[in-house]
Amino acid sequence: MLQTAHIPGNNYGCSPGTPRSTRVERLLRDRELRKINKVFSLPEVARDFNRDPEVFGNDQIPSDPENCGLFNEEEFSEGLVGCEKQNGQPSKQRLLVVANRLPVSAVRKGEDSWQLEISVGGLVSALLGVKEFDTRWIGWAGVNVSDEIGQRALTKALAEKRCIPVFLDEEIVHQYYNGYCNNILWPLFHYLGLPQEDRLATTRSFQSQFDAYKKANQMFADVVNQHYQEGDVVWCHDYHLMFLPKCLKDYNNEMKVGWFLHTPFPSSEIHRTLPSRSELLRSVLAADLVGFHTYDYARHFVSACTRILGLEGTPEGVEDQGKLTRVAAFPIGIDSDRFIRALELPQVQEHIKELKDRFAGRKLMLGVDRLDMIKGIPQKILAFEHFLEENPDWQDKVVLLQIAVPTRTDVPEYQRLTSQVHEIVGRINGRFGTLTAVPIHHLDRSLDFHALCALYAVTDVALVTSLRDGMNLVSYEFVACQASKKGVLILSEFAGAAQSLGAGAILVNPWNITEVAASIGYALNMPADEREKRHHHNFMHVTTHTSQEWAATFVSELNDTIVEAQLRTSKIPPVLPIKSAVDCYLQSSNRLLILGFNSTLTEPGDTLGRRGGQIRDMELKLHPELNEPLKKLCDDPNTTVIVLSGSDRSVLDDNFGDYGIWLAAENGMFLRLTTGEWMTTMPESSTMEWVDSVKHVFEYFTERTPRSYFEHREASLVWNYKYADVEFGRLQARDMLQHLWTGPISNASVDVVQGSRSVEVRAVGVTKGAAIDRILGEIVHNKGMKAPIDYVLCIGHFLQKDEDIYTFFEPELPSEKPPLARAKIPAPARTYAPKISNCRSLSKAYLRKQKSLSILERRASNFGSVGGWRPVVHDRVSVYEGSSVLDLKGDNYFSCAVARKRSSARYLLGSSDDVVSLLKELAQC
């Protein structure tokens, strides 16, 4: 557990969150322990490795063949089963790895017998090196098993490999896997755009595919739920399972869930074209930790959540009403020791000798790619042709060996790509080849592990020209095998590996054929000392940031994220206990209901106003279901209702003019009972000379920020950019604040209040909490109250600065110093003596409330510059200390924030719909 120093708790008796440095210190400590306890599971003997062209988690999809590496069955079993027990007792945390495909493929040999073929990719090799977890795999076995006998037999066979199957039928696979995953998400995430309708003819529509996608994810979740044990870590992988975190959290909100994407995540402008964009983002945000290969992908994800969902992006991740989903970059690596050791094997040495003899006298350039659109193979070959054209002296001295692993050979686009590549290679070889040699050797197949290591070792220049790649570990494998040769790596800036190996590689734009050709020439002619320096930078990174370190770091961060989330959640108020609130309401004799207006008594609206609702949302209207309940509450002689809002008086008049209710406009600056006239509570010393200058600033920024607007209220000005582009609006707000503080309000007595999408300038000291005592005093005087108030319900969606209204009624903690509050305070006429039953003495805060009361007076001269000022009948409101009429027990006070989890309120309500339900129940009492 994280250790923290003793810090006084908040209102709920909870300690504040752990500082970030605490987590970093623990992660550093864990990293050092992993180094000390590092154990290699691979023996120093030769093994028969076979290169698997498919990437685990992205099989049969255009992706990274470089993430592959095949362990034999004995090693795979030992790597998983050996994690289970230590000294006969379970001692390791269980890790449930959930991916679309299991690390084994099943072949049916009979009604109740199966043959399992290990097809392990980069993810498995990463997790085999993580010894501190008991790992189990959950996924699809790649085969349709419709009969129960076959399912039971396969489940039993897979259990021996620590694998748990998810059984998907052919229709689900067709719609979910071939349709939504391969045909929609994969192209979009690689910037290829959404497919046209003609490509969807065999896979139906977007919606049916998405429905199948959600159904498949729920099937994965059901299997996880069956095998989940308390304390397990569930690690979901890749775009196939973006809906899975939400399904798991719906089942058990305490489950530790992480999600990692092995492809790029596109910019928000690309992602927003996806019809199901919001659902997928919110589903991923249900996870506790979201990981990407690079910072760019993480930044794009946060930007999409900000622009599409309207949530808050923070340096830690994405925050939604107090719930933080951590978003971070975790660059994957390779098992570098495996490649380094393989170079010493006799088979590899023999391959190396053959290759050196075969290409003697010529420089060898190498490309290893899956044959698909994102790998940039045509661009690579055309750049090599351009190099030969510009450098005729090199035509007989260099050869390009391109390994192109076939994939999705049944798809027309891939068939056309294959034909295109073959045509270009044939043309170049015909143009620059001789009877004994050709400049390009093109292989449409994969190589086994030993042959590939040998090829890496003898290569002079590795050429990676991906147009878009999640990571591309071919570059890592090449560097790991170059200890003696120290060859040069030319790497596309659009590959994720460019973020990690940029120091030692030559970064290129693969679309710029001339630039790539020039880089080839520079690499071939690079001096030995520069090659050695570049190789050293990359080799140190590859051998330090291994796949095992990647997996261990992610799981360790996930565990720490859970601890921090628990500390953060402990400070979030609980949901309002409606039954208790109603029971106390029934038992009380003099009740006070204080209600906010916007987002409390109004209908929930679109936070980003995308569907043409901006004008409608700007016109605040009372929730239609509140008409009857609110009227009953206002007609109750034992209940006083106040609507306390920052809105203008005219807005409150329009919505509540027919109720017997107290209205407090502009945060309590104006007050009236609906049967009377408006009064002002403006302090005598207040001035409004700053209004004109601030108005000019707000007009300036409104003109330059599309879809923003400002409200010129009578005692305040508000600039709102709720409907503008979020990031641009924030930049404009920051610029506005700098301008205001250094100019128009530098010497004015005003407060600048920042909301989530607004900037408000109001007179200094004006808050809802500061106004409530004055309002209570006038209410008592007007109503002729015979008994003290013994029940208070305060509900609102208030700005942070206005949340002092929640703490106004809170019993103050006794002071450690001699209580100054014993001084006698004369009670004004028509009020009761102070009576706070669960305080032993009046506190400093209570005294401060009494002393802060000033003459409540409107001075027309102070408002001369404000347009639209309406006459007020009452020029002065008498002073009444409202807090002195309270006989409020702690259990009879219910403060409740609406749709805001970080709050000073005692309780929470999810939305204004919950407020409607509560008020309906109170009205029926």
Side-chain angles (χ1 to χ4, degrees):
M1 292 294 291
L2 296 175
Q3 300 296 322
T4 58
H6 177 70
I7 304 175
N10 62 5
N11 292 341
Y12 312 99
C14 305
S15 299
T18 305
R20 178 175 175 81
S21 59
T22 304
R23 185 180 76 246
V24 174
E25 290 170 2
R26 175 181 173 180
L27 293 174
L28 288 172
R29 185 169 63 252
D30 289 349
R31 186 171 181 266
E32 292 303 315
L33 288 175
R34 286 198 298 271
K35 286 183 178 180
I36 296 173
N37 298 324
K38 189 174 182 181
V39 179
F40 297 103
S41 61
L42 288 177
E44 295 290 344
V45 297
R47 287 183 173 172
D48 182 21
F49 291 100
N50 293 313
R51 187 71 174 175
D52 179 9
E54 298 296 338
V55 183
F56 177 77
N58 294 301
D59 45 286
Q60 301 181 12
I61 306 176
S63 190
D64 297 345
E66 58 275 9
N67 290 356
C68 306
L70 183 61
F71 294 87
N72 64 19
E73 183 173 341
E74 178 185 355
E75 178 192 13
F76 174 68
S77 300
E78 290 177 354
L80 294 180
V81 180
C83 297
E84 184 175 11
K85 291 187 178 181
Q86 183 175 347
N87 298 327
Q89 296 295 328
S91 59
K92 298 180 180 180
Q93 185 177 27
R94 293 208 324 169
L95 175 63
L96 303 183
V97 178
V98 191
N100 175 63
R101 285 295 301 272
L102 289 172
V104 296
S105 295
V107 178
R108 193 162 192 171
K109 295 299 182 180
E111 185 180 13
D112 59 351
S113 64
W114 291 86
Q115 177 183 337
L116 302 181
E117 298 177 358
I118 310 299
S119 56
V120 182
L123 180 59
V124 175
S125 63
L127 293 173
L128 284 177
V130 181
K131 303 299 182 182
E132 58 263 38
F133 299 102
D134 176 10
T135 307
R136 286 168 171 77
W137 297 77
I138 298 175
W140 178 46
V143 62
N144 177 33
V145 188
S146 57
D147 60 299
E148 294 185 5
I149 296 177
Q151 290 184 3
R152 286 198 300 267
L154 180 57
T155 301
K156 182 178 179 180
L158 288 172
E160 298 178 1
K161 308 299 180 189
R162 315 290 282 176
C163 294
I164 303 168
V166 177
F167 294 104
L168 304 177
D169 58 46
E170 289 184 357
E171 179 64 17
I172 287 289
V173 171
H174 182 59
Q175 290 276 72
Y176 144 73
Y177 184 66
N178 298 325
Y180 199 78
C181 293
N182 288 9
N183 218 29
I184 296 178
L185 289 182
W186 191 91
L188 186 79
F189 280 19
H190 288 84
Y191 290 80
L192 299 179
L194 291 175
Q196 299 302 315
E197 195 61 34
D198 57 351
R199 288 184 57 194
L200 300 177
T202 59
T203 50
R204 300 182 184 175
S205 66
F206 281 106
Q207 188 58 46
S208 64
Q209 292 180 50
F210 185 58
D211 292 341
Y213 181 86
K214 292 194 292 185
K215 182 178 179 181
N217 275 246
Q218 185 60 56
M219 295 170 71
F220 276 86
D222 292 340
V223 175
V224 173
N225 296 338
Q226 291 171 12
H227 294 85
Y228 173 79
Q229 297 177 8
E230 186 177 356
D232 287 356
V233 172
V234 183
W235 191 0
C236 312
H237 287 271
D238 234 352
Y239 58 91
H240 310 88
L241 301 175
M242 295 181 71
F243 213 76
L244 183 57
K246 180 180 184 300
C247 295
L248 296 176
K249 288 290 189 176
D250 287 344
Y251 173 79
N252 183 355
N253 193 50
E254 301 300 319
M255 192 180 293
K256 301 177 182 179
V257 179
W259 182 80
F260 192 91
L261 182 65
H262 292 272
T263 69
F265 192 90
S267 72
S268 59
E269 291 302 306
I270 297 293
H271 185 77
R272 71 194 305 175
T273 63
L274 188 66
S276 51
R277 58 194 186 182
S278 298
E279 279 190 86
L280 288 180
L281 288 177
R282 290 198 179 276
S283 299
V284 171
L285 287 175
D288 300 291
L289 176 62
V290 176
F292 300 91
H293 281 309
T294 72
Y295 171 73
D296 284 347
Y297 306 155
R299 177 171 53 85
H300 289 162
F301 177 78
V302 173
S303 177
C305 294
T306 301
R307 290 174 177 269
I308 296 173
L309 302 180
L311 304 180
E312 295 292 332
T314 72
E316 289 288 305
V318 179
E319 186 174 355
D320 182 10
Q321 298 296 338
K323 194 270 183 183
L324 177 67
T325 299
R326 280 205 62 223
V327 179
F330 300 89
I332 197 174
I334 62 172
D335 186 358
S336 56
D337 289 326
R338 176 185 174 219
F339 286 87
I340 295 171
R341 289 195 305 269
L343 295 177
E344 305 299 325
L345 300 177
Q347 310 92 300
V348 177
Q349 288 295 321
E350 184 178 347
H351 281 300
I352 290 176
K353 184 178 183 301
E354 292 175 357
L355 291 170
K356 286 182 177 179
D357 293 340
R358 175 70 179 81
F359 297 106
R362 291 195 289 177
K363 294 283 189 178
L364 179 60
M365 298 180 60
L366 176 65
V368 179
D369 304 281
R370 189 190 297 267
L371 188 57
D372 65 47
M373 287 79 70
I374 67 165
K375 296 299 181 180
I377 296 177
Q379 287 79 0
K380 178 190 304 185
I381 299 173
L382 291 174
F384 183 65
E385 179 186 28
H386 187 68
F387 168 74
L388 295 178
E389 291 173 347
E390 297 293 322
N391 301 273
D393 295 341
W394 276 99
Q395 290 179 7
D396 297 327
K397 300 177 182 178
V398 62
V399 60
L400 172 62
L401 178 55
Q402 177 63 51
I403 310 297
V405 182
T407 181
R408 302 188 74 185
T409 54
D410 58 334
V411 178
E413 283 89 346
Y414 289 84
Q415 294 171 353
R416 287 194 293 268
L417 176 64
T418 302
S419 299
Q420 181 186 32
V421 170
H422 289 172
E423 180 183 345
I424 298 173
V425 170
R427 177 173 55 80
I428 296 174
N429 282 340
R431 180 181 177 188
F432 296 102
T434 65
L435 292 175
T436 57
V438 292
I440 300 178
H441 289 239
H442 181 85
L443 300 182
D444 280 329
R445 64 181 180 86
S446 60
L447 296 181
D448 65 49
F449 177 73
H450 295 137
L452 191 63
C453 288
L455 192 55
Y456 284 142
V458 300
T459 297
D460 295 283
V461 178
L463 191 54
V464 178
T465 56
S466 304
L467 306 180
R468 191 70 59 176
D469 231 345
M471 195 63 183
N472 194 295
L473 296 182
V474 160
S475 54
Y476 279 61
E477 295 174 356
F478 168 75
V479 170
C481 295
Q482 283 285 313
S484 59
K485 190 81 173 183
K486 295 179 174 57
V488 182
L489 173 64
I490 299 177
L491 181 60
S492 167
E493 64 185 62
F494 300 116
Q499 302 287 329
S500 305
L501 303 181
I506 299 176
L507 298 183
V508 296
N509 177 1
W511 294 100
N512 190 335
I513 302 300
T514 303
E515 178 189 353
V516 178
S519 298
I520 292 174
Y522 182 72
L524 292 172
N525 294 289
M526 185 178 292
D529 60 338
E530 183 179 350
R531 283 193 289 110
E532 186 169 350
K533 289 178 181 178
R534 286 177 176 269
H535 170 74
H536 176 73
H537 277 286
N538 287 342
F539 188 77
M540 291 301 296
H541 180 88
V542 169
T543 54
T544 303
H545 298 77
T546 64
S547 54
Q548 294 84 4
E549 184 69 21
W550 164 79
T553 300
F554 184 92
V555 180
S556 181
E557 286 256 15
L558 177 56
N559 278 318
D560 279 295
T561 298
I562 297 298
V563 175
E564 290 186 342
Q566 290 171 346
L567 293 172
R568 190 181 300 109
T569 304
S570 66
K571 298 190 299 179
I572 296 176
V575 176
L576 176 69
I578 294 181
K579 185 177 185 305
S580 298
V582 174
D583 290 344
C584 292
Y585 179 87
L586 287 171
Q587 297 170 8
S588 57
S589 58
N590 193 4
R591 308 129 177 173
L592 175 65
L593 306 185
I594 304 174
L595 306 175
F597 182 38
N598 193 6
S599 299
T600 304
L601 302 181
T602 59
E603 288 187 277
D606 182 2
T607 57
L608 297 181
R610 275 195 198 85
R611 303 189 179 277
Q614 177 175 351
I615 302 301
R616 185 188 67 241
D617 291 347
M618 289 170 59
E619 299 176 358
L620 298 178
K621 296 294 183 182
L622 180 66
H623 198 297
E625 295 184 26
L626 280 177
N627 291 325
E628 290 302 320
L630 196 58
K631 180 173 178 55
K632 289 182 180 180
L633 291 172
C634 294
D635 292 342
D636 186 347
N638 296 323
T639 302
T640 303
V641 182
I642 305 174
V643 173
L644 180 55
S645 172
S647 299
D648 188 80
R649 292 185 292 170
S650 60
V651 175
L652 298 187
D653 283 337
D654 292 341
N655 284 277
F656 301 99
D658 297 333
Y659 299 90
I661 195 171
W662 283 93
L663 302 178
E666 298 200 35
N667 303 299
M669 293 293 288
F670 303 99
L671 173 69
R672 84 171 178 115
L673 182 63
T674 49
T675 55
E677 298 294 332
W678 281 103
M679 300 166 284
T680 179
T681 63
M682 176 68 71
E684 184 178 4
S685 59
S686 295
T687 175
M688 298 292 288
E689 296 174 354
W690 48 269
V691 169
D692 282 341
S693 55
V694 173
K695 178 182 176 183
H696 292 319
V697 174
F698 279 14
E699 288 176 343
Y700 174 87
F701 281 94
T702 300
E703 292 173 1
R704 285 154 181 78
T705 310
R707 297 192 71 183
S708 68
Y709 64 96
F710 81 93
E711 299 177 67
H712 186 178
R713 299 170 181 169
E714 296 173 87
S716 63
L717 292 172
V718 181
W719 182 68
N720 194 306
Y721 58 96
K722 171 183 178 182
Y723 304 97
D725 179 89
V726 177
E727 294 183 6
F728 182 61
R730 287 174 181 164
L731 292 175
Q732 293 291 81
R734 189 182 310 161
D735 193 14
M736 172 190 287
L737 291 171
Q738 292 176 348
H739 184 76
L740 287 174
W741 285 120
T742 57
I745 64 172
S746 55
N747 295 316
S749 298
V750 296
D751 281 333
V752 178
V753 183
Q754 296 184 60
S756 60
R757 302 283 192 275
S758 65
V759 176
E760 179 179 359
V761 180
R762 62 171 79 153
V764 68
V766 175
T767 65
K768 291 180 172 64
I772 193 63
D773 202 30
R774 306 167 184 175
I775 296 171
L776 283 176
E778 179 60 25
I779 290 173
V780 171
H781 171 52
N782 183 282
K783 205 169 185 180
M785 204 170 285
K786 303 297 183 182
I789 295 172
D790 58 354
Y791 178 93
V792 175
L793 174 63
C794 180
I795 306 176
H797 180 80
F798 301 130
L799 297 177
Q800 186 174 2
K801 185 177 181 64
D802 293 319
E803 285 202 342
D804 57 349
I805 191 173
Y806 296 138
T807 58
F808 178 87
F809 297 97
E810 286 285 359
E812 302 290 345
L813 296 175
S815 173
E816 295 180 0
K817 298 181 180 180
L820 300 176
R822 293 187 183 277
K824 293 183 179 180
I825 303 175
R830 292 187 300 276
T831 65
Y832 293 91
K835 205 174 172 189
I836 304 179
S837 51
N838 48 347
C839 258
R840 286 178 288 187
S841 62
L842 294 177
S843 66
K844 295 179 182 178
Y846 180 80
L847 285 174
R848 189 164 57 250
K849 289 175 185 175
Q850 304 303 314
K851 293 177 181 178
S852 66
L853 299 178
S854 59
I855 301 297
L856 309 181
E857 178 180 8
R858 177 181 70 83
R859 299 188 60 186
S861 60
N862 289 342
F863 294 87
S865 60
V866 182
W869 174 261
R870 292 172 297 189
V872 177
V873 174
H874 297 279
D875 288 338
R876 185 183 300 268
V877 176
S878 302
V879 182
Y880 295 98
E881 292 88 340
S883 58
S884 63
V885 299
L886 297 176
D887 186 11
L888 187 62
K889 296 180 180 180
D891 292 341
N892 277 10
Y893 173 50
F894 297 87
S895 59
C896 191
V898 180
R900 184 187 299 277
K901 291 187 177 179
R902 288 188 178 180
S903 173
S904 300
R906 290 186 173 189
Y907 305 104
L908 298 177
L909 282 176
S911 68
S912 58
D913 290 334
D914 297 325
V915 178
V916 171
S917 299
L918 173 61
L919 295 182
K920 282 182 176 180
E921 196 161 344
L922 293 179
Q924 293 174 359
C925 295

